Amino acid sequence: MAKSIDVSDLNIYYGDFLAVEGVNMTIRAKAVTAFIGPSGCGKSTFLRTLNRMHEVIPGARVEGKVMVSGQSLYDPAIDPVAVRRQIGMVFQRPNPFPTMSIYDNVIAGSKLNAKKMKRSEADAIVEKSLRGANLWNEVKDRLDKPGMSLSGGQQQRLCIARAIAVEPEVLLMDEPCSALDPISTSAIEDLIHELKSEYTIVIVTHNMQQAARVSDETGFFNLKAAGQPGHLVEFNPTTKMFTNPDEPSTEAYISGRFG
Amino acid sequence: MSTTTPLEPDTFAISANLAQPRLPRWAVVLVGVISLGLAGLVTLLTGWSLVGGLVLAILLMVAGLPTWSLLVEGRRAAADRFATALVWAAFAVVLVPLVWLIWMVVDHGLSAIDREFLTYDMRNVVGSGGGIYHALWGTILVTLAATVISVPIGLFTAIYLVEYGRGKRLARATTFLVDVMTGIPSIVAGLFALSLFVLIFGPAIRIGFGGAVALSLLMIPTVVRSAEEMLRLVPNDLREASYALGIPKWRTIVKVVLPTALGGIITGVVLAISRVIGETAPLLVVAGATDSVNFNLFDGRMMTLPVYIFSQYSSPGVVPVGMEGDPPGYARAWGAALVLIVIVMVLNLVARIIGTYFAPKTDRRR
Amino acid sequence: MSVTAPPQPRPAKAVVRPGDRIFAGAARVAALTIMLALAGVFVFLAIEGLPGLSAPAHIYAPAEDFWSYVGPLVFGTILAAVVALIIAVPFSIGVALFISHYAPPRIAAPVAYVIDLLAAVPSVVYGLWGGLALASAIRPVMDWLYENLGFLPFFAGPPSVTGRTMLTAGIVLAIMIVPITTAISREVFAQTPRLHEEAAMALGATRWEMIRLAVFPYARSGVISAVMLGLGRALGETMAVAMVLSASPVVTLNLISDTNPATIASNIASNYKEATPDKQALLIATGLVLFAVTFAVNFAARWVIGRSERNVAR
């Protein structure tokens, strides 16, 4: 079910401010695509346009096209809510709903759509999703505990479980490990490897090594100059990107000369 | 790729088709216009009031849009549209009494106000005529006295809470008591002042100063709250910088902390004044009512604007024989209400202006 | 922080300047004054009000003793406040959501200001408007309620011809407490962490579902306390009720007839004028009861806030 995403000539605005300019790329299905670049270059902003979370911010808008299996995401006939159901998202900081138990957190998205769900059905979704997020064994005995009672890494995996419980086709991850310790980070990275057999995964990361470890393809974003909009410098398979990049500025960034 | 029918939401078979049927953008406008038109028609046919017609229009809108949405977009979208319509409707309905009230006060009040109204009292006035001169002065004096009592107490309490009492039991108790004071019904404050002065002077006592005591009981918590908040906003670096220069604590407070927070504190005080200036009940029970001018806070009854409104309303006099219309007291009540509202609004505006005027200065110092 | 509170145990006693001592003393005295004032409220009301508990029987007419005198008043107070809450709470939540989540940003701030203006209008003006404008305008509504919902005890009627009923008073009270509950609710709604809202949106929630998933659970206790504070205000409000209601000492749930129970506060306001010392003591005693009731309500509100703050901290 995973889908590829075609982006063409995408400009992203906050009000009158052009934040990201002229992005063209094709994100492959069932692969991990990573975005790297210095902070403030618009990679998270770009990520959020892929499931129309960008327009949640007042005044934010986009120009250009994002096509998912032949349909333009920004067509007026498209319901942003439907888009977000099929393109799930995991955020920088883990954000389980604080008033809900682990169980309720996982089932939250599915509950929205089903008028009534049988208990057994719900149980099945919860177990499947938590197993999918490699969290089942750690929490199966305390599903009724608050989601906030978990450790940071567990919370983030809970958020991933919550995102995959609605069976999206694409999973966007916005620096999912930046708030986590190294052990939790490697747990999430392992999980990303497993998830890519079923989902198209797009991940924004600060950490170039992480991009190199988890991704199949990498996009490098940069600012032309301070105050200028961000843009996509290079988009290539990860191995090529980290060994023999096309652009000199990519090489400069990867080798640590700036950023 | 499965394509399920959109009206049968299935949990798992998420359709590959992102384009679900949606209402066009002009749907909201269309339903709004139709609702207004229908309601207007009904209003004209049945002779309802304007307000009734508006309410009907809102009801039609709240019912119509979600129904259409349910038919086209499905259950979830319809629920969302319904909630949105309800929220907008709640806002529109709340505006109705506000606009209505302001319109009535301005409309009736303006026709009542003239030079005589502002410069005459009610002494020996029978029928129409007379004015609010005595009540205006009463309100000014009583409120001024209340401010003089409550600002020092409130300000010093705030200073204690922020600068001296941190973590002490007295500070915690005071915070709690200020909370309790915020919740005192205004009439209880009036009864308190009444009891106090009755104990001292005997049961028949009614003096303006009693009203000031009652009002300050209502004013103090507001002053403490706002001053405390403002003092806490003063960055600690400023205090430390001052201590490092060898300046004693009290001079630090007077010379550094208070000036920095001054704008906010004045704003808070003005807002507190605007809050209590319209209080009626406490003045009614302790300051009483009179028809004459009284400049002495400590002797005799004193009229105030809110009490004036109340007494003109509750004993409006009689319509002269052979005349039509409302009793003369109503017109005076509306006129006084307009004056009172204008005073309150001006005070609010002044508070806002002071707030914005002083705000950049503190920012720069920071 | 570090300099303002030097460590307590010092070998040499710190020098205290006279200026510091005076200033600190004045601050402490001010705090103590508040304590005294509040104690004074209670003590003076008790001293002056206690005789009202056991006054000559004719003072309580038509009732016979204090409790049967104050009973209908307490009932009326609570009834008016509850009617006001039932009307005000849905609107407050709606308007608060409008400001925090629905209104375009450009108009949200002015709207919030307008709602605050509602709070600045003096209560006596509300009373004037309620008595002279709303009461007559609302008569058709009461007729309609009587004809169509007359089987409910609240609308048993017959509808008052003046329109000065408990329902009218409740509506005026509701308009007065809407700004208070709205202001607090919109603040807690707006404080909902963006992360939680985005989490809900990313799951494909509509705006309403996002509010139910992320905003309401977060804001629940804040809204409850806002409602309780509104209740406290409604219980103690005097003028609007005194000017709208034509009151008699009855206990009835009928909201639209011409016999309506008074509230404690409105009863004081309408009777203070011809008060003999005995009657005055009685009115003060009822004031004490009102104080106790509002204190209890406000205390409960604060307790709810405190408990939720602890919950969040955990």
Side-chain angles (χ1 to χ4, degrees):
Chain A
M1 282 287 274
K3 286 178 174 172
S4 62
I5 305 173
D6 288 300
V7 181
S8 47
D9 296 326
L10 194 72
N11 293 336
I12 309 173
Y13 294 87
Y14 290 102
D16 294 331
F17 173 69
L18 178 60
V20 181
E21 190 179 25
V23 177
N24 288 290
M25 69 166 72
T26 299
I27 294 166
R28 267 203 299 141
K30 293 197 181 185
V32 179
T33 304
F35 298 149
I36 57 172
S39 49
C41 65
K43 47 193 192 305
S44 289
T45 304
F46 174 66
L47 187 77
R48 290 167 66 99
T49 60
L50 297 182
N51 69 341
R52 296 190 66 168
M53 282 296 284
H54 177 63
E55 65 202 66
V56 169
I57 298 157
R61 64 198 169 86
V62 302
E63 286 167 2
K65 262 193 177 159
V66 180
M67 305 287 287
V68 177
S69 56
Q71 296 177 72
S72 167
L73 280 193
Y74 286 89
D75 190 279
I78 298 285
D79 181 3
V81 168
V83 171
R84 292 180 201 134
R85 285 188 62 80
Q86 296 181 42
I87 306 182
M89 186 158 192
V90 176
F91 295 83
Q92 193 166 356
R93 278 176 39 220
N95 56 355
F97 296 120
T99 49
M100 293 185 190
S101 67
I102 296 172
Y103 187 97
D104 289 338
N105 257 294
V106 178
I107 207 74
S110 315
K111 261 193 183 160
L112 291 179
N113 223 16
K115 277 179 193 146
K116 265 204 189 98
M117 211 186 316
K118 284 200 210 82
R119 179 77 189 180
S120 58
E121 240 176 278
D123 286 346
I125 298 174
V126 169
E127 177 169 350
K128 179 164 172 266
S129 313
L130 284 172
R131 278 191 196 283
N134 281 342
L135 192 60
W136 175 250
N137 287 328
E138 291 160 66
V139 300
K140 64 182 175 203
D141 303 323
R142 46 179 175 141
L143 291 173
D144 54 340
K145 293 280 184 306
M148 299 295 271
S149 66
L150 299 174
S151 74
Q154 289 172 326
Q155 284 185 22
Q156 193 62 300
R157 276 179 282 152
L158 176 61
C159 291
I160 295 176
R162 183 177 64 189
I164 60 181
V166 294
E167 308 211 317
E169 289 144 32
V170 180
L171 206 52
L172 308 178
M173 298 183 165
D174 187 359
E175 301 190 26
C177 303
S178 66
L180 304 182
D181 60 274
I183 294 176
S184 308
T185 299
S186 97
I188 304 265
E189 285 179 8
D190 291 346
L191 178 58
I192 292 173
H193 267 296
E194 291 167 26
L195 289 175
K196 81 169 176 186
S197 60
E198 282 181 65
Y199 302 95
T200 304
I201 293 177
V202 185
I203 177 171
V204 164
T205 176
H206 249 11
N207 178 333
M208 273 177 285
Q209 284 70 36
Q210 184 172 57
R213 284 192 299 266
V214 300
S215 71
D216 305 305
E217 307 207 306
T218 302
F220 169 56
F221 283 80
N222 199 2
L223 298 170
K224 280 177 179 143
Q228 294 279 307
H231 67 131
L232 179 65
V233 177
E234 181 171 351
F235 188 70
N236 265 322
T238 304
T239 41
K240 175 170 168 46
M241 192 84 152
F242 281 87
T243 50
N244 181 23
D246 290 336
E247 299 287 330
S249 67
T250 312
E251 206 206 336
Y253 181 73
I254 285 171
S255 57
R257 255 179 274 154
F258 77 98
Chain B
M1 298 283 166
S2 63
T3 12
T4 49
T5 47
L7 283 180
E8 185 84 14
D10 186 333
T11 324
F12 299 115
I14 298 163
S15 90
N17 185 10
L18 285 171
Q20 303 195 337
R22 300 189 75 194
L23 292 184
R25 288 205 177 172
W26 38 264
V28 179
V29 181
L30 181 67
V31 175
V33 169
I34 291 176
S35 306
L36 271 178
L38 272 179
L41 205 63
V42 171
T43 310
L44 283 180
L45 289 179
T46 57
W48 283 9
S49 68
L50 184 65
V51 175
L54 273 179
V55 170
L56 181 67
I58 290 169
L59 282 179
L60 284 175
M61 176 88 184
V62 168
L65 191 61
T67 313
W68 189 7
S69 168
L70 185 66
L71 295 176
V72 178
E73 298 176 313
R75 186 178 56 85
R76 290 177 55 200
D80 188 45
R81 296 238 184 222
F82 184 56
T84 309
L86 275 185
V87 163
W88 276 85
F91 168 65
V93 171
V94 166
L95 279 188
V96 169
L98 180 72
V99 173
W100 184 4
L101 182 145
I102 299 284
W103 181 74
M104 289 221 61
V105 171
V106 172
D107 185 44
H108 288 68
L110 275 183
S111 57
I113 294 179
D114 49 26
R115 174 181 282 213
E116 179 187 335
F117 188 68
L118 295 176
T119 52
Y120 276 57
D121 59 19
M122 288 299 292
R123 195 161 193 167
N124 301 329
V125 172
V126 181
S128 58
I132 57 167
Y133 186 66
H134 57 314
L136 211 51
W137 271 110
T139 286
I140 293 172
L141 289 175
V142 170
T143 314
L144 211 61
T147 312
V148 168
I149 299 172
S150 30
V151 167
I153 296 180
L155 189 54
F156 269 101
T157 304
I159 290 175
Y160 176 76
L161 289 177
V162 176
E163 306 288 339
Y164 290 101
R166 195 164 283 169
K168 287 190 187 147
R169 202 182 297 164
L170 176 61
R172 264 180 286 141
T174 308
T175 311
F176 173 74
L177 292 178
V178 168
D179 274 355
V180 173
M181 269 175 112
T182 331
I184 290 184
S186 63
I187 192 147
V188 171
L191 289 178
F192 156 71
L194 181 66
S195 315
L196 181 67
F197 286 94
V198 162
L199 263 187
I200 304 173
F201 298 108
I205 186 76
R206 297 282 187 278
I207 58 174
F209 186 67
V213 170
L215 289 191
S216 47
L217 198 68
L218 299 169
M219 225 178 129
I220 287 174
T222 332
V223 175
V224 173
R225 274 288 169 73
S226 60
E228 187 189 352
E229 204 169 295
M230 288 304 135
L231 291 178
R232 284 198 199 285
L233 282 181
V234 175
N236 236 355
D237 312 0
L238 277 185
R239 296 190 182 91
E240 297 187 351
S242 171
Y243 295 146
L245 294 174
I247 299 171
K249 182 166 183 168
W250 74 275
R251 286 193 69 86
T252 304
I253 295 172
V254 174
K255 294 283 175 193
V256 177
V257 178
L258 283 182
T260 314
L262 194 64
I265 291 174
I266 295 178
T267 305
V269 169
V270 176
L271 281 179
I273 294 175
S274 81
R275 201 63 33 100
V276 297
I277 206 168
E279 282 294 350
T280 318
L283 298 172
L284 190 64
V285 293
V286 61
T290 171
D291 286 341
S292 319
V293 181
N294 176 6
F295 288 114
N296 190 346
L297 276 171
F298 298 94
D299 184 36
R301 293 163 180 266
M302 204 165 204
M303 196 51 146
T304 48
L305 270 179
V307 177
Y308 179 89
I309 298 172
F310 178 62
S311 50
Q312 290 302 327
Y313 168 83
S314 51
S315 41
V318 287
V319 186
V321 183
M323 300 265 282
E324 291 280 310
D326 290 332
Y330 286 173
R332 288 193 289 260
W334 285 116
L338 179 57
V339 173
L340 186 59
I341 285 197
V342 167
I343 293 176
V344 171
M345 294 303 152
V346 166
L347 283 173
N348 263 294
L349 209 64
V350 167
R352 277 175 80 87
I353 291 171
I354 294 173
T356 47
Y357 180 75
F358 276 88
K361 210 163 159 189
T362 49
D363 271 346
R364 188 144 39 86
R365 284 188 193 177
R366 202 174 290 173
Chain C
M1 283 275 239
S2 51
V3 176
T4 45
Q8 287 301 323
R10 279 261 181 87
K13 211 174 175 197
V15 182
V16 180
R17 289 161 194 283
D20 265 340
R21 192 175 296 160
I22 295 168
F23 204 77
R28 198 168 293 123
V29 166
L32 284 171
T33 311
I34 286 187
M35 203 175 270
L36 281 179
L38 210 60
V41 172
F42 201 75
V43 169
F44 289 124
L45 286 184
I47 292 177
E48 285 300 308
L50 275 182
L53 296 181
S54 51
H58 68 90
I59 293 293
Y60 301 116
E64 269 142 36
D65 61 6
F66 179 71
W67 297 110
S68 62
Y69 178 86
V70 82
L73 294 177
V74 171
F75 173 81
T77 307
I78 294 174
L79 181 63
V82 168
V83 170
L85 273 192
I86 290 175
I87 300 170
V89 168
F91 283 109
S92 303
I93 292 177
V95 175
L97 276 180
F98 180 77
I99 296 171
S100 67
H101 284 86
Y102 280 86
R106 198 170 303 161
I107 73 166
V111 167
Y113 182 62
V114 166
I115 299 297
D116 287 345
L117 275 191
L118 272 174
V121 174
S123 62
V124 68
V125 179
Y126 279 112
L128 191 65
W129 170 76
L132 294 183
L134 181 66
S136 53
I138 206 173
R139 272 186 346 233
V141 176
M142 292 196 294
D143 288 341
W144 185 87
L145 285 172
Y146 173 61
E147 278 157 26
N148 294 285
L149 295 168
F151 55 89
L152 292 173
F154 310 110
F155 308 122
S160 155
V161 287
T162 59
R164 297 193 175 181
T165 64
M166 194 50 114
L167 184 65
T168 317
I171 293 174
V172 175
L173 278 181
I175 297 169
M176 296 178 69
I177 59 178
V178 157
I180 300 173
T181 38
T182 302
I184 304 174
S185 311
R186 88 175 135 91
E187 223 144 88
V188 284
F189 287 156
Q191 277 168 5
T192 310
R194 233 200 134 69
L195 271 175
H196 297 153
E197 293 177 6
E198 292 191 342
M201 305 269 253
L203 286 178
T206 61
R207 179 157 53 180
W208 171 239
E209 287 161 348
M210 181 271 283
I211 286 168
R212 273 183 22 213
L213 267 178
V215 179
F216 280 162
Y218 179 82
R220 198 179 49 204
S221 62
V223 172
I224 291 175
S225 65
V227 170
M228 307 262 267
L229 291 178
L231 179 62
R233 170 88 195 261
L235 288 172
E237 179 46 45
T238 313
M239 301 321 294
V241 182
M243 291 167 82
V244 169
L245 266 189
S246 53
S248 43
V250 291
V251 173
T252 171
L253 284 174
N254 194 337
L255 300 179
I256 59 172
S257 78
D258 49 11
T259 49
N260 298 283
T263 70
I264 295 179
S266 75
N267 181 59
I268 297 171
S270 7
N271 286 316
Y272 85 100
K273 239 187 208 166
E274 53 268 26
T276 59
D278 274 343
K279 185 83 176 183
Q280 187 165 304
L282 171 60
L283 293 180
I284 293 177
T286 61
L288 199 57
V289 173
L290 176 63
F291 185 37
V293 173
T294 48
F295 180 80
V297 169
N298 285 321
F299 193 79
R302 209 134 291 135
W303 183 75
V304 171
I305 299 173
R307 202 185 52 162
S308 64
E309 271 169 6
R310 273 199 302 283
N311 277 356
V312 169
R314 182 154 55 83

